[in-house]
Amino acid sequence: MFYEGASKDRLRRRALQLEELAMSPESPGLARSLNELGVLYYLQDNHEVAEQFFKRALQMRENILSKDHADIAQSLHNLASLYNAQERFSLAASLYERALAIRQKAFPSEHPSVATTVNQLAILYRKQNEYTKAEPLYKQALEIREKSFGASHPSVATALNNLAVLYCKMHKYSSAEPLYQRALKIYEESFGPGHFRVAETLRNLAVLHYDKGDFESAARLYKQCTDIKEQGPSVSRPPSEFGKSEWAGDSRSLYA
């Protein structure tokens, strides 16, 4: 508790120092400071004030920078992430789309900034049941991870799982199953057969077979999943690791 209080105090002091800069003329440096203030207030769950600073940073950047500048995409992305957290999905989607269009011009296709916005927008479309819009973005996220980390990296397995989940929602079971199988193999080879990620993928496969009406296979896979989970805490999901199968749409998606 002391550590949390000290961290918040440091954030508040830093915020006050940055606020003093807000009286300066418009400049890229001041816009960065305003953006950082937005992030700081977001981390303190003060969304109302965070929104004000994100909007000020965006307006200033649009006033003084070229329309395709990467800093404008940063502001768009951060404001979209705030709206996403507030479940203001239509506002968030339009801002993510603008940010992605700029980042795809400014950076290589596998750049982390592109990857983050692609994934956040895919998650947002899935939440809104706009599966046909989400599908190409999940595919792009998978391609980025394969190029960045190699075909057998656990991060690729997570992207495979995400796309497979989407296909199941679209009732495209024949497309989803090989993705789950590939993800399962990567997790087993990377972490061993008793890892919680293996269990999660087995559970996903069980649900797929159940939805297809193959109850025998579903029961077998679910038992394998349960057996792993019952082996003990050493193979259970760590409390601080992998909050969701998808890249989380929280403060980690913000760019200070």
Coordinates of all heavy atoms in Angstrom, one line a residue, residues 1-13:
M1 N 0.8 -1.2 0.0 CA 0.0 0.0 0.0 C 0.9 1.3 0.0 O 0.6 2.2 -0.7 CB -0.9 0.0 1.2 CG -2.0 -1.1 1.2 SD -3.1 -0.9 -0.2 CE -3.9 0.6 0.3
F2 N 2.0 1.2 0.7 CA 2.9 2.4 0.8 C 3.4 2.7 -0.6 O 3.5 3.8 -1.0 CB 4.0 2.2 1.8 CG 5.0 3.2 1.8 CD1 4.8 4.4 2.4 CD2 6.2 3.1 1.0 CE1 5.8 5.4 2.4 CE2 7.2 4.0 1.0 CZ 7.0 5.2 1.7
Y3 N 3.8 1.6 -1.3 CA 4.4 1.8 -2.6 C 3.3 2.4 -3.6 O 3.7 3.3 -4.3 CB 4.8 0.4 -3.2 CG 5.3 0.5 -4.6 CD1 6.6 1.0 -4.9 CD2 4.5 0.1 -5.7 CE1 7.0 1.1 -6.2 CE2 4.9 0.2 -7.0 CZ 6.2 0.7 -7.2 OH 6.6 0.8 -8.5
E4 N 2.1 1.9 -3.5 CA 1.0 2.5 -4.3 C 0.9 4.0 -4.0 O 0.7 4.8 -5.0 CB -0.3 1.8 -4.1 CG -0.3 0.3 -4.7 CD -1.6 -0.3 -4.6 OE1 -2.6 0.4 -4.1 OE2 -1.7 -1.5 -4.9
G5 N 0.9 4.3 -2.8 CA 0.7 5.7 -2.4 C 1.8 6.6 -2.9 O 1.6 7.7 -3.4
A6 N 3.0 6.1 -2.7 CA 4.2 6.8 -3.2 C 4.2 7.0 -4.7 O 4.5 8.1 -5.2 CB 5.5 6.1 -2.8
S7 N 3.8 6.0 -5.4 CA 3.7 6.1 -6.9 C 2.7 7.1 -7.3 O 2.9 7.9 -8.2 CB 3.3 4.7 -7.5 OG 4.3 3.7 -7.2
K8 N 1.5 7.1 -6.6 CA 0.5 8.1 -7.0 C 1.0 9.5 -6.7 O 0.7 10.5 -7.4 CB -0.8 7.8 -6.2 CG -1.5 6.6 -6.8 CD -2.8 6.4 -6.1 CE -3.6 5.2 -6.7 NZ -4.9 4.9 -6.0
D9 N 1.7 9.7 -5.6 CA 2.2 11.0 -5.2 C 3.2 11.5 -6.3 O 3.2 12.7 -6.7 CB 2.9 11.0 -3.8 CG 1.9 10.9 -2.7 OD1 0.7 11.2 -3.0 OD2 2.3 10.6 -1.6
R10 N 4.1 10.6 -6.8 CA 5.0 11.0 -7.8 C 4.3 11.4 -9.1 O 4.7 12.3 -9.8 CB 6.0 9.8 -8.1 CG 7.1 9.7 -7.0 CD 8.2 8.8 -7.5 NE 7.8 7.4 -7.8 CZ 7.8 6.5 -6.9 NH1 8.2 6.7 -5.6 NH2 7.4 5.2 -7.2
L11 N 3.2 10.6 -9.4 CA 2.4 11.0 -10.6 C 1.8 12.3 -10.4 O 1.8 13.1 -11.4 CB 1.3 9.9 -10.8 CG 1.8 8.5 -11.3 CD1 0.6 7.6 -11.3 CD2 2.4 8.6 -12.7
R12 N 1.3 12.6 -9.2 CA 0.7 13.9 -9.0 C 1.7 15.1 -9.1 O 1.4 16.1 -9.7 CB 0.0 14.0 -7.7 CG -1.2 13.1 -7.6 CD -2.0 13.3 -6.3 NE -3.1 12.4 -6.1 CZ -3.1 11.3 -5.3 NH1 -1.9 11.1 -4.6 NH2 -4.1 10.5 -5.2
R13 N 2.9 14.9 -8.5 CA 3.9 15.9 -8.6 C 4.4 16.1 -10.0 O 4.6 17.2 -10.5 CB 5.1 15.5 -7.7 CG 4.9 15.6 -6.2 CD 6.2 15.6 -5.5 NE 6.9 14.4 -5.7 CZ 6.8 13.3 -4.9 NH1 5.9 13.3 -3.9 NH2 7.5 12.2 -5.1

